[in-house]
Amino acid sequence: MNEVTESHPEWQRLSARVVWVDVVVSILSLLPGAIAICVVGLDPSSGVLWPLAFIAVVGVVGAVGDILRWAFTSFRITDHDIERRTGLFVRRHRAIRRERVRSVDTAAKLRHRLAGLRVVTIGAGQQTGAGESALVLDSLSAADAERLQQRLLATRSPNARSDAAVAAEPEETGQAEEAGQADAATKVLATFRLSWVWYNMFSIWAYLMAAGLLWGAYWLLSSFGVDPVGIIARIVDWEAIGWPGAVLIGLVAVGVFGAISMGVKFVLDYGRFELSRVRSGDAAYLRTRRGLLSTREVNRDEARVRGMSIGEPLLWRWMGMADTNLITTGLNVWDPAAPSAILPRGPVRVARRVAGDI
């Protein structure tokens, strides 16, 4: 019976804390509409309330979907496979061989971090063009996610043994291995620099981001009975400026607002960024960590690295900036979901130095 249990461990569930997170998300999504009706006194049948109603519906439906996903998802890690079962009406059972694991990605949005949860994404060289996707476990407790990550990365070592074999060893041997892992060499290759913000502020996306934020702000203020267009019209003498001046001022203002928004987004996404080489036994991994509010950590098996790609379009070359990507087996550099980007967009001299180190 013990041998059967070791070969076929029990199915595990995702963390139940995600249910409480979804309950809070549902309440928060209903809160703006409730304030607009009960505090501001807007008519519930008013057409300006439909954006708030849309936010409420999206929040509640998303939360219910997450609760159903938690209720009907289970997984287990055997000596050879990673298995996941999910689905309410259509049940899906997926298994991945552990030796096929290419990357183990842990991420956490702000609500996950507040609840001590993590999202684990296991990449196994899937073909996204053929409709395959990475195996995602959303959400695990932070401690369980870290243990799972260490367990799967340990499997990548050429001399890795089965979990059952490790568990069968004397306690002293296990303690010695833990001490060896704690002393594993870590070499930091690059860390976040505030000067990198300038390389990520100026692009056409600045105008698109500004347009989205301004449109959202307009609808939100309108929902609470505020007329932002009227306020701006009263502040600025448009007749004295004229249409050409108004258009120029508008383009400059929107561009500056968008550039600042892009800079803030970059700091939130890549704050505390660190690229390091982590050695554990015979295995070595390139580990990236980043994020202030939402965090992400990716470990890539360095034995699968085949080269580097440094992209310098013409305008970027004039600015001395570049994108830096890994070329590895099992990861597609053109796939936005694949963790091939090893550095944020930044100075080309940093990209070349890191590429040389790797």
Side-chain angles (χ1 to χ4, degrees):
M1 180 65 66
N2 291 336
E3 295 179 357
V4 174
T5 303
E6 290 176 354
S7 301
H8 301 281
E10 295 182 358
W11 291 90
Q12 304 178 54
R13 303 290 298 274
L14 302 175
S15 176
R17 269 180 270 175
V18 70
V19 176
W20 299 108
V21 172
D22 290 325
V23 171
V24 174
V25 169
S26 300
I27 295 174
L28 293 178
S29 63
L30 295 172
L31 194 58
I35 294 176
I37 296 174
C38 301
V39 179
V40 181
L42 292 180
D43 184 1
S45 61
S46 176
V48 298
L49 283 179
W50 73 263
L52 300 181
F54 177 77
I55 293 174
V57 170
V58 171
V60 173
V61 170
V64 172
D66 282 347
I67 293 174
L68 291 176
R69 176 180 52 77
W70 167 82
F72 293 95
T73 298
S74 58
F75 70 97
R76 68 179 180 181
I77 311 296
T78 68
D79 291 344
H80 306 288
D81 299 302
I82 308 161
E83 300 180 67
R84 185 193 63 184
R85 297 187 306 195
T86 186
L88 174 58
F89 299 106
V90 180
R91 296 289 291 173
R92 292 182 175 88
H93 185 177
R94 185 177 179 188
I96 294 177
R97 300 291 291 180
R98 290 176 62 169
E99 64 266 19
R100 286 193 59 198
V101 172
R102 303 293 192 266
S103 63
V104 181
D105 179 354
T106 61
K109 297 181 180 179
L110 180 59
R111 63 177 183 268
H112 290 104
R113 292 187 63 190
L114 294 176
L117 299 174
R118 298 293 184 269
V119 179
V120 179
T121 302
I122 303 169
Q126 62 275 357
Q127 300 296 322
T128 56
E132 296 182 357
S133 60
L135 195 150
V136 179
L137 299 176
D138 178 10
S139 304
L140 297 176
S141 68
D144 289 342
E146 183 177 0
R147 283 193 293 267
L148 177 61
Q149 185 181 57
Q150 293 176 351
R151 185 177 178 186
L152 294 180
L153 290 178
T155 310
R156 303 304 309 137
S157 172
N159 296 328
R161 293 156 294 174
S162 67
D163 296 324
V166 174
E169 292 183 346
E171 182 178 357
E172 293 78 4
T173 303
Q175 293 175 349
E177 288 186 354
E178 290 179 359
Q181 291 177 358
D183 295 335
T186 300
K187 178 182 179 182
V188 177
L189 302 179
T191 56
F192 177 80
R193 293 290 183 269
L194 192 59
S195 60
W196 293 356
V197 175
W198 298 103
Y199 296 93
N200 295 268
M201 290 178 61
F202 306 102
S203 70
I204 189 61
W205 293 105
Y207 281 94
L208 297 177
M209 173 172 281
L213 292 175
L214 292 174
W215 183 259
Y218 170 78
W219 278 110
L220 182 61
L221 293 174
S222 298
S223 301
F224 288 94
V226 180
D227 182 14
V229 176
I231 294 176
I232 296 176
R234 289 191 295 270
I235 295 176
V236 181
D237 187 357
W238 297 106
E239 294 183 359
I241 296 175
W243 280 107
V247 171
L248 180 60
I249 292 175
L251 289 176
V252 172
V254 172
V256 171
F257 177 73
I260 294 175
S261 301
M262 292 282 288
V264 172
K265 181 179 184 301
F266 175 78
V267 172
L268 293 178
D269 288 344
Y270 284 93
R272 295 193 301 223
F273 170 84
E274 180 185 274
L275 167 64
S276 57
R277 174 184 285 116
V278 180
R279 297 187 181 277
S280 179
D282 296 329
Y285 304 94
L286 295 173
R287 182 183 65 195
T288 56
R289 292 174 172 172
R290 63 179 177 89
L292 293 181
L293 300 181
S294 299
T295 61
R296 187 180 184 187
E297 176 181 327
V298 182
N299 291 271
R300 309 164 183 85
D301 187 355
E302 194 171 24
R304 298 185 179 277
V305 174
R306 297 297 180 263
M308 302 287 297
S309 169
I310 300 178
E312 297 179 81
L314 182 59
L315 181 60
W316 291 12
R317 202 180 321 155
W318 293 342
M319 298 175 63
M321 57 189 288
D323 273 341
T324 312
N325 292 276
L326 282 178
I327 300 175
T328 70
T329 57
L331 293 180
N332 183 357
V333 70
W334 301 112
D335 178 12
S340 58
I342 199 69
L343 283 176
R345 186 176 302 160
V348 66
R349 65 180 184 277
V350 177
R352 290 171 178 167
R353 176 182 62 78
V354 171
D357 290 341
I358 294 177

